[in-house]
Amino acid sequence: VKMNLSVYAGTNPQQLTPEKLVPIVKQLDDATDNLRRTAHNLMPDRLIEDGLVEAVFYFCNNLQKSVPISISFQPMGTMPSLPTQFELSLYRIIQELMQNIIKHAEATEAIVQLSCEHDLLSITVEDNGKGINEDHEDVGLGLKSIEARVNEFSGRFTIETTPNVGTTVHLEFSVAAINRMPGVNTNKIYS
C-alpha cells in the first residue's frame, strides 16, 4: 500500500483518480482482514468465551474458506472444564498441525478429531497428503515444538506417515493429571 501510494506522492492531486485508488483501497481491506485474523488467532475470543471445541470448530470452518483443502472437524464426547493455558496450548498445536498440512502435505482432505471419554482427552489430525519428509527442516521444527508442548502437559504424541497416503498425528492427555499440575490455573483466567 505504501509503495503504491508513494508513486502518487509527487504528482498533481488531480491525477489521483478514483480508478487509481480502487486497488489501493482493496489492498487496505485485505491488510485489515489479515490483521484482524492474526489478532484473533493470538488469543481467540471464541476460546475464551465458548471453550476449546467451539474455538477449534470456528478455526477449521474459517480455514476451510481460505484454502483448497476439505477440512472436517469431528468433536466426540463431552469436553470437561480445562485450564485456559492448556486449552490455548491445544489450540496452538492444532493450528500448527493444520498449517503444516497446508504448507507441506499437498493434501486435499484433512480431519481434526477432538474427543474426551472418561479421563482421556484425544486429538487426532489426519491428512491424505504426501506424508512427512523427515529431511524437511520446517516441518521438523514445527513437530518438535508440538512435541515440547505435549511433553509440558505429560501427554503422548505419535505420528504415523505413509508416502503418498497421508499422515496421522495423535495426542493424548489425562484430564485429571492436567488439572493436578502445579502452576496450572484451573480457573478461566481470561473470562
Side-chain angles (χ1 to χ4, degrees):
V1 172
K2 181 180 178 183
M3 287 184 346
N4 284 338
L5 286 174
S6 66
V7 168
Y8 300 111
T11 63
N12 185 345
Q14 282 75 25
Q15 291 178 331
L16 192 57
T17 63
E19 294 82 24
K20 292 179 180 176
L21 287 175
V22 168
I24 296 171
V25 170
K26 170 79 171 98
Q27 281 182 315
L28 282 171
D29 285 342
D30 291 345
T32 301
D33 287 343
N34 284 333
L35 180 60
R36 187 177 298 117
R37 262 194 308 271
T38 300
H40 176 76
N41 285 334
L42 291 176
M43 182 50 148
D45 293 337
R46 185 93 40 191
L47 181 62
I48 298 165
E49 294 168 8
D50 301 321
L52 184 63
V53 173
E54 283 298 315
V56 173
F57 170 77
Y58 187 74
F59 168 72
C60 291
N61 195 40
N62 279 344
L63 189 59
Q64 172 72 62
K65 295 174 187 176
S66 62
V67 296
I69 298 174
S70 172
I71 301 170
S72 173
F73 174 58
Q74 301 170 349
M76 294 174 263
T78 302
M79 192 61 56
S81 179
L82 297 165
T84 303
Q85 303 99 306
F86 179 65
E87 286 187 343
L88 182 59
S89 286
L90 293 183
Y91 184 82
R92 295 284 177 249
I93 288 169
I94 292 168
Q95 281 183 313
E96 177 70 27
L97 290 171
M98 291 305 299
Q99 289 305 320
N100 282 347
I101 290 170
I102 292 163
K103 287 181 184 176
H104 306 293
E106 298 176 13
T108 58
E109 296 179 31
I111 299 170
V112 177
Q113 295 175 329
L114 181 61
S115 68
C116 192
E117 288 190 37
H118 308 292
D119 182 54
L120 187 65
L121 173 68
S122 300
I123 298 173
T124 304
V125 178
E126 298 181 63
D127 69 71
N128 68 344
K130 63 182 183 179
I132 295 175
N133 177 355
E134 294 179 17
D135 296 334
H136 200 290
E137 275 185 34
D138 292 343
V139 175
L141 291 175
L143 291 177
K144 285 179 184 174
S145 170
I146 290 169
E147 187 172 19
R149 285 183 183 196
V150 171
N151 289 338
E152 178 183 345
F153 292 103
S154 302
R156 283 190 52 225
F157 174 68
T158 59
I159 301 173
E160 296 174 19
T161 186
T162 305
N164 302 314
V165 174
T167 301
T168 301
V169 176
H170 188 72
L171 314 169
E172 288 183 348
F173 301 90
S174 164
V175 173
I178 294 300
N179 286 324
R180 285 193 310 264
M181 290 185 79
V184 174
N185 183 353
T186 57
N187 298 319
K188 298 294 180 186
I189 60 174
Y190 297 104
S191 53

